[in-house]
C-alpha cells in the first residue's frame, strides 16, 4: 500500500509518499530523488499525523531541494532509460536495472525493488521501447481486472465495458457519449486508489455523461473521499507524463 500526501509550504505544493521502513524505530528519513520525487521512510508504527508533522518541520529544506532537483532534471529530459533511473508502478518506486546479455533471452521483470530489463542492445531507444511495452502490458492487465471487479459493484454497469489504451497529455481517461472508454497507460504509475477513482469516474459516465450533481452523487457514494486520490493525480501529472 502506498501513502500519498502533499506538503504545503506557502504557495508550493509538494506531493510525497510514505514508505514504512522496519529498520527505522524513532525517526523519519526524507529523500529527494534526482527528478524531484519525494519519498519519506518512516517507522512502520509511526502515526500518519506524526510523519506529516515531521515532514512539515523540514518543509523549507524539502521545497528547496525539489526546486533544485527539478531544475537539474529538466536538462536530462527526455529520459535516457539507463540503469539507476526511477520507475513508478502502482504508486511505488522501483529502480531500473539494465542487464546486457549476449546470447540469453530478453525480458522485463519486477524483482524486489528493481525493474530488470535483460537486453542484447544498450541502445536507450530499445530499452525505452521495452519499458513502454512492459507498462502497457501491465496497464492492460490491471485495468481489465479492476474494471471487471468494479463493474460487479456498480449497479448501472451490466458488464465490464471494453476499453482502449491511449497516451494522452492532459487526461487520465475518457468516456465518449457512445460509451467508449479510453484509459491512459501512464495511469498504471499511479497508486491503486487513484486508478480506482479514474475507473469509477469513467464507468459513472456510462450513466451520466456530464459532470452534473447526479454524477458527483454517484461518485461520492462509490468512492468516499475521492478528493484525495484526485489531488494526488493532479499533483502527479507532470511526473507521470515524463517518460
Ligand atoms: Zn469525467
Amino acid at each position: 500500500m502506498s501513502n500519498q500526501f502533499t506538503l504545503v509550504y506557502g504557495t508550493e505544493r509538494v506531493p510525497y509518499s510514505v514508505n514504512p521502513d522496519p529498520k527505522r524505530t524513532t525517526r523519519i528519513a526524507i529523500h529527494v530523488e534526482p527528478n524531484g520525487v519525494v519519498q519519506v521512510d518512516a517507522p512502520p508504527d509511526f502515526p500518519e499525523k506524526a510523519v506529516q508533522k515531521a515532514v512539515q518541520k523540514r518543509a523549507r529544506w524539502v521545497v528547496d531541494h525539489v526546486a533544485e532537483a527539478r531544475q537539474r532534471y529538466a536538462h536530462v529530459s527526455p529520459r535516457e532509460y539507463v540503469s539507476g533511473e526511477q520507475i513508478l508502478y502502482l504508486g511505488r518506486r522501483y529502480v531500473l536495472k539494465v542487464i546486457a546479455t549476449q546470447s540469453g533471452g530478453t525480458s522485463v521483470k519486477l524483482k524486489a525493488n528493481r525493474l530488470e530489463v535483460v537486453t542484447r542492445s544498450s541502445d536507450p531507444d530499445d530499452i525505452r521501447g521495452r519499458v513502454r511495452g512492459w507498462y502497457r502490458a501491465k496497464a492492460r492487465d490491471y485495468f481489465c481486472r479492476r474494471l471487471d471487479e468494479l463493474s460487479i459493484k456498480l449497479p448501472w454497469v451490466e458488464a465490464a465495458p471494453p476499453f482502449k489504451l491511449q497516451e494522452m497529455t492532459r487526461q487520465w481517461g475518457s468516456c465518449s457519449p457512445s460509451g467508449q472508454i479510453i484509459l491512459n497507460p501512464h495511469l498504471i504509475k499511479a497508486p491503486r486508489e487513484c486508478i480506482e477513482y479514474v475507473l469509477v469516474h469513467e464507468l459513472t459516465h456510462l450513466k451520466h455523461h456530464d459532470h452534473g450533481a447526479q454524477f458527483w452523487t454517484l461518485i461520492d457514494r462509490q468512492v468516499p473521499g475521492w478528493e484525495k486520490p484526485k489531488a494526488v493525480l493532479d499533483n502527479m501529472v507532470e511526473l507521470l507524463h515524463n517518460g
Side-chain angles (χ1 to χ4, degrees):
M1 167 163 154
S2 134
N3 292 303
Q4 298 284 336
F5 300 96
T6 303
L7 169 70
V8 179
Y9 182 74
T11 57
E12 299 283 339
R13 291 172 65 78
V14 180
Y16 63 94
S17 49
V18 176
N19 313 303
D21 180 356
K23 289 194 295 286
R24 300 199 152 264
T25 52
T26 56
R27 307 178 60 180
I28 64 160
I30 304 174
H31 309 281
V32 178
E33 306 291 328
N35 61 359
V37 169
V38 180
Q39 303 276 347
V40 176
D41 295 335
D45 55 352
F46 244 39
E48 256 178 33
K49 283 261 177 296
V51 175
Q52 284 173 294
K53 212 173 143 191
V55 174
Q56 195 66 44
K57 251 180 144 172
R58 297 180 66 192
R60 170 93 238 171
W61 181 91
V62 173
V63 167
D64 283 353
H65 277 74
V66 168
E68 226 173 77
R70 279 187 184 159
Q71 209 170 7
R72 268 198 313 266
Y73 198 73
H75 302 295
V76 292
S77 204
R79 300 181 60 170
E80 293 290 334
Y81 279 108
V82 292
S83 276
E85 262 192 79
Q86 179 182 256
I87 295 290
L88 275 172
Y89 174 59
L90 293 176
R92 302 200 60 162
R93 132 192 89 130
Y94 297 85
V95 176
L96 179 66
K97 182 154 174 64
V98 179
I99 300 167
T101 179
Q102 300 301 326
S103 49
T106 61
S107 62
V108 183
K109 274 187 197 140
L110 273 188
K111 281 193 181 166
N113 62 343
R114 299 190 303 275
L115 181 70
E116 288 190 357
V117 178
V118 179
T119 170
R120 290 194 197 99
S121 160
S122 59
D123 178 5
D125 281 342
D126 176 77
I127 298 161
R128 181 181 299 121
R130 286 177 190 279
V131 173
R132 284 214 164 172
W134 177 82
Y135 269 132
R136 284 186 82 91
K138 288 289 183 186
R140 186 172 297 285
D141 281 1
Y142 186 77
F143 298 163
C144 196
R145 181 158 61 80
R146 291 301 288 141
L147 279 172
D148 275 350
E149 289 164 358
L150 290 165
S151 297
I152 292 167
K153 268 178 59 187
L154 306 178
W156 63 90
V157 183
E158 275 173 28
F163 68 94
K164 241 173 57 180
L165 285 181
Q166 188 183 307
E167 296 202 9
M168 296 176 275
T169 51
R170 304 170 69 97
Q171 277 177 296
W172 297 112
S174 71
C175 180
S176 75
S178 63
Q180 169 72 61
I181 290 180
I182 296 176
L183 297 168
N184 194 332
H186 289 296
L187 183 61
I188 197 66
K189 299 174 184 176
R192 288 181 167 84
E193 56 272 27
C194 295
I195 299 174
E196 171 161 347
Y197 165 70
V198 173
L199 298 184
V200 174
H201 183 117
E202 302 312 335
L203 288 170
T204 304
H205 279 317
L206 294 176
K207 188 167 173 76
H208 300 294
H209 292 298
D210 57 8
H211 295 118
Q214 290 175 312
F215 173 86
W216 290 113
T217 302
L218 281 183
I219 293 282
D220 272 334
R221 195 175 305 153
Q222 300 298 337
V223 195
W226 56 269
E227 293 89 346
K228 195 171 160 188
K230 184 178 182 299
V232 170
L233 283 170
D234 291 346
N235 278 311
M236 288 182 99
V237 163
E238 198 182 325
L239 290 170
L240 288 184
H241 289 226
N242 182 17

